[in-house]
Amino acid sequence: MEAKQAYEIVLHLIEEKDLSFTMDELAEKLKVSKRTIYQQFSSKANLLKQTIDYVFDDLLDNSQSSPICQLDNPHPSSLEILQQRLQAFPDIYDLDKLLRSSAAFSSNYPEQWEYVNQRLDELGSRVFEILLDNPQVRILTVTEKKVLLITLQQAIRKLVQGNFLDQRKLDFHDAILALNKILLEGILY
């Protein structure tokens, strides 16, 4: 059993059943015994943590080897890579599958939900670093940098809370694309 296959099926089961899926159901989908799963993952909580890493690791990868980094420029800047990833984000990454279950995560797997939030903060920090690397961004004061980082991290956390967007009749994909546009193009003419 390949770990990647297990993570993809876990994401499918989360999308289908929320976090109420069982290890028996996972074993059935993987066509392996439950014992085989427990040989690789000590618990469902451990499996969820590793699935979270699977979702975030490629997103936070700085290299051009990511399948979505197919740019015409053979040596793209960090900003070009970020732009490509943010534009592809809603269609490629499975983060929304995890996030639709945020209520179940926070009540049933609080350690894993805190870990999701740590990884989201890493994403905010990575976006922040890439934005500051852009030569078109003016030199920011220390306070402006702190406020920008907090703003990015909190905006990302808010957008991914399960019911936050639903209550505002916003689609996750559309919200991520709007954030991308605001970050990379600004709001001024």
Side-chain angles (χ1 to χ4, degrees):
M1 168 184 74
E2 279 190 47
K4 179 180 176 182
Q5 180 187 20
Y7 305 143
E8 289 172 359
I9 290 175
V10 166
L11 290 168
H12 174 74
L13 286 169
I14 289 173
E15 183 177 36
E16 190 177 278
K17 297 185 165 228
D18 206 1
L19 293 175
S20 63
F21 73 89
T22 66
M23 296 302 263
D24 286 323
E25 291 169 324
L26 177 61
E28 183 181 321
K29 295 260 187 198
L30 286 168
K31 297 179 177 46
V32 299
S33 71
K34 196 161 78 167
R35 180 181 178 153
T36 301
I37 294 171
Y38 281 114
Q39 286 174 338
Q40 191 161 353
F41 306 101
S42 60
S43 65
K44 185 175 176 181
N46 175 265
L47 172 66
L48 290 171
K49 183 178 184 293
Q50 290 188 40
T51 302
I52 292 163
D53 282 334
Y54 170 75
V55 170
F56 279 93
D57 285 347
D58 183 52
L59 184 58
L60 292 166
D61 182 10
N62 295 335
S63 73
Q64 298 173 41
S65 62
S66 172
I68 65 163
C69 283
Q70 305 300 322
L71 298 170
D72 294 333
N73 181 353
H75 304 289
S77 68
S78 296
L79 187 63
E80 289 171 316
I81 292 171
L82 172 66
Q83 185 171 17
Q84 181 70 18
R85 287 184 181 189
L86 285 175
Q87 287 172 346
F89 180 86
D91 300 318
I92 302 292
Y93 295 106
D94 292 314
L95 183 59
D96 62 324
K97 292 176 185 171
L98 288 176
L99 303 173
R100 283 188 208 119
S101 300
S102 62
F105 258 113
S106 62
S107 62
N108 299 327
Y109 296 94
E111 288 178 32
Q112 286 69 20
W113 182 242
E114 181 54 36
Y115 189 62
V116 167
N117 283 297
Q118 288 172 12
R119 298 303 307 258
L120 287 168
D121 285 347
E122 286 178 48
L123 175 60
S125 295
R126 184 69 191 122
V127 170
F128 171 77
E129 291 165 9
I130 291 170
L131 288 173
L132 291 186
D133 271 352
N134 182 357
Q136 294 176 324
V137 172
R138 70 175 173 80
I139 296 174
L140 301 175
T141 67
V142 171
T143 301
E144 289 171 328
K145 287 179 184 178
K146 288 179 181 178
V147 169
L148 177 59
L149 178 59
I150 291 167
T151 301
L152 285 169
Q153 289 176 330
Q154 291 305 310
I156 290 170
R157 277 189 181 212
K158 213 48 157 164
L159 288 178
V160 299
Q161 288 178 358
N163 61 357
F164 179 81
L165 293 173
D166 289 342
Q167 290 172 347
R168 286 151 184 82
K169 295 180 177 44
L170 291 170
D171 176 73
F172 175 77
H173 297 149
D174 292 342
I176 293 296
L177 291 175
L179 179 61
N180 171 40
K181 189 170 184 165
I182 290 167
L183 286 174
L184 300 176
E185 298 175 23
I187 60 172
L188 300 176
Y189 287 109

